Amino acid sequence: AKLLPNLRFYGIQAPPKKMADPAFGRSVESIADYYASALITSQPNGPFLLGGWSAGAIIGLEIAQNLQARGRDVALFVAIDAVPENTAAGYRPWHPVYLLELISNVPGWLVKGNPIRTEGLRSSARRVCTKVAALARAILSGEADHSVANGYAVEGFMDLSRYPDEQRTFMKRLYTALLEYKPKTYSGNVVAYEARVKPLFRLPQVGRVWRR
């Protein structure tokens, strides 16, 4: 704020009243269009600087595409430690380079994650149990609808019990949309921030995917 006193900064999140609408969040394109319209209403003229973390990086990319298609200037897009799926840009889990990077990540994870601490062990155990339980529920459900399985997948990394029914349904719907989203080539400027230490069992490959 001191360096850029004329820059208006906004955080975007899903309006609770919209979550009850089963069409809201059904696709990344539709929710990005809703947010892009809100941004244009707020700022009729001038360039935009966009950024996002986690799901916000994926939705933010489509917002940037949407704004550019409307003739607006997106001066910069910042992706924070997240990438879209369906890019075919990263290495497969069995690729030698991927496996080498996964192994080389272990020392940093041991130091930064400090799993030896009692609380660290408890936290890791809770995450493993939650993921296993969610996977078991997805398999035992016998549902052919992949959105149901994805709903259980959300429960594997988030505690949904804290949220109202409408928000839980929205989260599961949006998670499916994120997995199905197929990003187009982006022509604007991108800065991608990637954590030096990655999760133990999965490499996001942030820099590799965004360069592609």
Side-chain angles (χ1 to χ4, degrees), residues 19-163:
M19 292 182 186
D21 181 359
F24 185 70
R26 189 168 292 279
S27 72
V28 171
E29 290 85 355
S30 65
I31 198 170
D33 185 68
Y34 178 84
Y35 292 152
S37 296
L39 286 169
I40 289 174
T41 300
S42 174
Q43 182 175 303
N45 301 295
F48 289 100
L49 306 173
L50 301 178
W53 169 76
S54 188
I58 302 170
I59 298 171
L61 171 63
E62 186 59 30
I63 293 175
Q65 298 276 29
N66 190 298
L67 290 170
Q68 284 189 342
R70 300 190 196 199
R72 296 301 299 270
D73 178 21
V74 180
L76 180 67
F77 177 68
V78 180
I80 303 174
D81 211 31
V83 296
E85 303 287 341
N86 304 316
T87 62
Y91 291 121
R92 297 289 184 180
W94 54 84
H95 193 283
V97 174
Y98 184 95
L99 293 174
L100 182 62
E101 291 180 355
L102 196 67
I103 294 171
S104 63
N105 178 63
V106 173
W109 182 86
L110 289 172
V111 174
K112 297 292 184 180
N114 197 7
I116 306 303
R117 292 183 298 110
T118 301
E119 185 55 37
L121 290 172
R122 288 175 180 171
S123 178
S124 299
R126 281 196 301 268
R127 287 198 298 270
V128 170
C129 291
T130 302
K131 287 181 180 295
V132 170
L135 178 61
R137 286 195 296 270
I139 295 174
L140 295 175
S141 67
E143 296 283 353
D145 186 357
H146 67 283
S147 64
V148 175
N150 286 339
Y152 288 122
V154 175
E155 295 175 0
F157 61 83
M158 285 186 67
D159 179 11
L160 299 185
S161 64
R162 302 183 292 117
Y163 300 94

Side-chain angles (χ1 to χ4, degrees), residues 25-28 172-182:
R26 189 168 292 279
S27 72
V28 171
K172 295 176 181 180
R173 186 167 64 240
L174 181 61
Y175 185 68
T176 299
L178 293 169
L179 293 180
E180 293 179 345
Y181 174 63
K182 292 180 172 57

